Amino acid sequence: MQPGDDRRARLWLLGAFLGGIMLHLSQLPPWITLGALLCAAWCLAGIVGRVPLPGKRLRGALVAGLTIGVLAAFHTLNGLAAGTALLALMGAMKLLETRTRRDGYIVVAVALCLLLAACLGNQDLPHAPLYLVQAWLCVTALAATAHPQAAAHTRRLASLSARSLLLALPLAMAMFLLFPRLTGGFWSVGASRVSTGLSDSMSPGSISELGESSDPVFRVWFQGPPPPPQERYWRGPVLHEFDGYTWRRTPGLQYPAEQLDYTGAVYHYRVRLEPDTGPWWLALDTIRSTDAAGATITPDRQLVARHPVHDPVTYDAVSYTFTRSTDRLNHLTQLLDTALPPRRNPRSVRLAQQLRAAAPDAHAFVTRVLDLFRHGGFSYTLTPPLLDLNSVDDFLFNTRQGFCGHFASAFVTLMRAGGLPARVVTGYQGGEWNPLGGYLLVRRSDAHAWAEIWLQGQGWVRVDPTAVVAPERLRRGALDVLPDAGSASERLMYEITWLNRLHQGWDAANAWWSTRLVGYDFHAQSRLLQALGLSARSWQQLGALLTAALGLWLLAVTLSFNRLPRARPHRLARAYALLCARLGSAGFARRPDEGPVTYARSLATAPQAFGAAARQLLERYARLRFGADTPTEAELEQFERDVRGLRLARRSSRR
Amino acid sequence: MNGARAEPLSQVVAALDTIIIGKPQQVRLCLACLLARGHLLIEDVPGVGKTTLAHGLARVLGLSWQRVQFTSDLLPADIIGVPIFDRATQQFQFRQGPLFTQLLLADEVNRASPRTQSALLEAMEERQVSVERATLKLPEPFFVIATQNPHEQLGTFELPESQLDRFLMRVSLGYPDTQAERRLLAGREPRELLDTLPAVLDAGALLHMQNEVRDVHRAGPLLDYLQQLVAHTRARTDLKLGLSPRAGLGLMRAAPAYAYLDGRHAVLPEDVQAVLPAVATHRLQRRDAVPESGRSIAAELLRAVPVPT
């Protein structure tokens, strides 16, 4: 091994380790990154400038100090964050004592573990190329360590590692497809993000916070065509209680269920919810059934998770766009959904009572209130003025500017004041159809609030007062209606068609990645295996399948290694092979280690009829093949002809 | 093919066969070794005709020859020569030792001290010796035929691998078979016959033949075969060392010589197979160091590597 080669191999090791650190740059505490980089710099100085590396005592002290530092920072050595920090530091320390090939392997293993930790923390598509590059770096460092003489030729090294990765690809695919999937949340060790979705309360302004973000919330794949934009109401928390300013739902309070008849268009669809969207799983209004195992349908038709889930969730559901109920509203709901806070919003209450008194029936009352919104000088904006504690009064009589939350809140208040049971429903409205992925993408900016009122003989009826004030909001979404919705870059994206298409393509790729690859769970695995005609019901059967795949892979790799590169056989060699085969069929097979002359001698026992001719042919072959003169075309042809023309007498016929 | 040229050689073989009875293959190998300009190590128990063979070769080839009996107190100067002060000219004159001959018979080479051995082996490799800042060329042709008794352990200095490598071939004679032994016992004593052997060749004729051996054709597939044989020894894990490039070159010199002896002007795989045990055996050793394992390794090697077609 040349010392130069060794240095190059160590540079590759350094690169692989630094790549591992880079993957955790945003997660690691700065002092740990700094410490690891300092060790790496020392190692680099040792390689390039031949600066002496620290001695045993200093290394021991450093290791102890750094371990205590990690303990102090995380209060534990367990868990992904503390483990990663410790791994980064210890890997950096290992760089300082990397002398032998074995040390090199350990550094590569540390770099690979860092990669694994990064994968545990984040599995989205933009990170995938980084992980690939890091994997390639690690394999290259491994190759450079194992073959220091190849380290001098970067191209050879690169092809060596690329070949190794390619060779590993089928194995990785088999492991991915067949490795028994854990159904628990093992992979979400690192997830500790704040849930940023709908909440169980709504005060003026809370929904506009959601409206500022265009992060995706969920994607929906429909069986058949998607519903028209005005039917795309995604039902979230239903809010019943009002204190004059904030709408809430009482957690744990069970409302009695009404008997519903489902009518109208039916939609079968699959929802994939992004992680950390809170306990409300979204469903098209009104949901009838779902296969979501971790969630239940409440009496007020919300889909609520039983336990908080930090993973992406996928579920199928069936919804109808229209329901009716001919029952009487039960007493408790009647009580709760007509309740108003005493002495709050007195002007609104008075107005509602006047309108109700003037209207012959409930329908006329609703129409009058909606007319009020339509012609009362209200305008839709995402940046309304702040409201005082009597928020409905302030909104209806002073500011008259607001968005869905204001309108829904005011409308429900007026309904309740007029004696009609009403409630606020929050959720999302609309969604962007992605023609490339064939799904509907709903973003945080699609958050919406609307109202439901109880009409005797019809049941709960959805009324969206926002639709009266800003009908375009329903058809085209907030970004289109309001010039100030969304950030400048989002607006730019929205207004330039091809950029929008690009964005949609990227989103479709992301969706594919997160549903098909990251979201490949036990159910998806069973579905795939069933489609392939294999039914693996248990992890034992999966293990057997995996072992079989592994065996096949090993066999293929062994065979491909054993196959020596062979040139196309020479014409003469083909004729000779034919001669040997023909003689072999007559009972005089050639041993592989026999040359032509030895072979000819072994034909001594052959019958005279062909023995002499065969010997003569073999001698001719020896002359043509090993002689000084290149055989002419004519000689070759003659030889081929004579080989074909050789008359064989079977050995058996001789006896 | 080359009947005219091979004629004297077949006479050489015939003459040697009369004194070394029943060992035609060994005789041919020895001749091939000399034709390939290689040095020869004859290794065997006493009394099977090592010295007789060496004498016979020298005589039949018509070369000047010297014999040195190696002992533990033999000094390098004893074979190379010493400077002697000449009173008449008042100068040192170099008196050549027995090394300055065309064929040197080094009997029982493993009895000499390593110092003497290495002096001899250096002369073999370089075909020249350095004395007192002067470099003296050895005569052309120059051969060493060394003999050693492998079973004699006491007071011997076994030749290390690096020095064994200098010998192109190592040949063992072995006991004669029953018929040959009978002929030996019934006939005249070989030592007496030595004097009656004719000098078929001379130094000039031998040099000419050596040059012709160089021109024997080696086809591509043959080189493939040779490379595969060498590669096979390097790939085997049970051997201490694979064959060195020098060993490969040795094979490539010995095989044409063997073909030439056969009167052919092209090397066949059979030639390689014939010389391989003699050329490779003393360079290969198993890890578990079974003595005398080389020969079976050569057989395994030949069986394992298919002849190219």
Side-chain angles (χ1 to χ4, degrees), chain A residues 419-626:
Chain A
L420 275 180
R423 56 197 188 187
V424 172
V425 183
T426 59
Y428 296 91
Q429 203 283 325
E432 185 190 349
W433 180 251
N434 188 320
L436 295 166
Y439 59 83
L440 197 69
L441 169 67
V442 177
R443 306 166 186 278
R444 293 209 194 287
S445 55
D446 292 321
H448 193 50
W450 59 93
E452 270 182 350
I453 53 170
W454 177 269
L455 293 174
Q456 199 56 48
Q458 288 185 37
W460 287 109
V461 176
R462 180 175 61 222
V463 179
D464 190 350
T466 316
V468 175
V469 179
E472 320 79 45
R473 164 71 180 81
L474 267 66
R475 259 178 282 126
R476 287 182 290 180
L479 277 174
D480 210 11
V481 177
L482 300 168
D484 52 353
S487 67
S489 63
E490 279 156 9
R491 292 216 62 83
L492 193 69
M493 194 82 80
Y494 195 78
E495 277 158 18
I496 301 174
T497 317
W498 65 266
L499 214 55
N500 191 31
R501 288 295 290 268
L502 204 69
H503 191 238
Q504 282 187 342
W506 171 241
D507 191 75
N510 261 309
W512 183 87
W513 175 266
S514 62
T515 50
R516 293 302 165 89
L517 288 177
V518 181
Y520 180 78
D521 57 4
F522 182 73
H523 300 289
Q525 192 175 39
S526 318
R527 274 201 299 273
L528 180 83
L529 290 179
Q530 261 164 17
L532 290 176
L534 305 161
S535 67
R537 292 256 158 259
S538 65
W539 65 266
Q540 285 99 333
Q541 285 172 323
L542 272 178
L545 263 176
L546 185 61
T547 313
L550 262 178
L552 271 178
W553 177 79
L554 269 179
L555 192 73
V557 168
T558 315
L559 286 181
S560 74
F561 271 127
N562 278 355
R563 220 183 56 222
L564 291 168
R566 275 194 192 124
R568 214 175 120 262
H570 188 258
R571 190 172 161 190
L572 196 56
R574 285 202 302 274
Y576 181 58
L578 177 67
L579 177 63
C580 294
R582 295 199 62 198
L583 290 174
S585 72
F588 298 95
R590 185 178 74 90
R591 284 205 326 271
D593 60 328
E594 272 182 328
V597 174
T598 327
Y599 189 30
R601 218 171 289 141
S602 78
L603 289 176
T605 57
Q608 194 56 40
F610 79 94
R615 276 199 297 277
Q616 189 262 331
L617 273 174
L618 286 173
E619 275 156 25
R620 242 166 84 194
Y621 165 76
R623 189 156 41 82
L624 292 172
R625 191 85 178 111
F626 297 99

Side-chain angles (χ1 to χ4, degrees), chain B residues 93-106:
Chain B
Q93 289 267 315
F94 182 70
R95 177 173 313 146
Q96 295 184 339
L99 190 63
F100 291 85
T101 183
Q102 287 169 326
L103 197 157
L104 177 74
L105 178 57

Side-chain angles (χ1 to χ4, degrees), chain A residues 311-328:
Chain A
D311 289 331
V313 189
T314 309
Y315 49 89
D316 290 347
V318 181
S319 289
Y320 289 76
T321 52
F322 196 66
T323 59
R324 41 185 312 128
S325 174
T326 47
D327 289 1
R328 286 187 64 81

Side-chain angles (χ1 to χ4, degrees), chain A residues 573 576 590 592-599 621-622 625-628, chain B residues 217 219 221-222 266-270 273 302-303 305-309:
Chain A
Y576 181 58
R590 185 178 74 90
D593 60 328
E594 272 182 328
V597 174
T598 327
Y599 189 30
Y621 165 76
R625 191 85 178 111
F626 297 99
Chain B
H217 181 72
L222 187 98
V267 187
L268 290 178
E270 278 83 354
Q273 292 178 343
L302 289 178
R303 262 202 306 280
V305 181
V307 173
T309 57

Side-chain angles (χ1 to χ4, degrees), chain B residues 65 80 86 142 153 195 259 262 274:
Chain B
W65 67 284
I80 293 171
D86 187 352
F142 172 70
Q153 295 296 324
D195 298 332
D262 212 24

Side-chain angles (χ1 to χ4, degrees), chain B residues 108-126:
Chain B
E108 307 200 64
V109 69
N110 57 340
R111 299 187 73 100
S113 65
R115 191 170 157 220
T116 312
Q117 283 176 1
S118 59
L120 169 72
L121 291 158
E122 246 179 85
M124 282 163 55
E125 186 66 18
E126 312 287 330

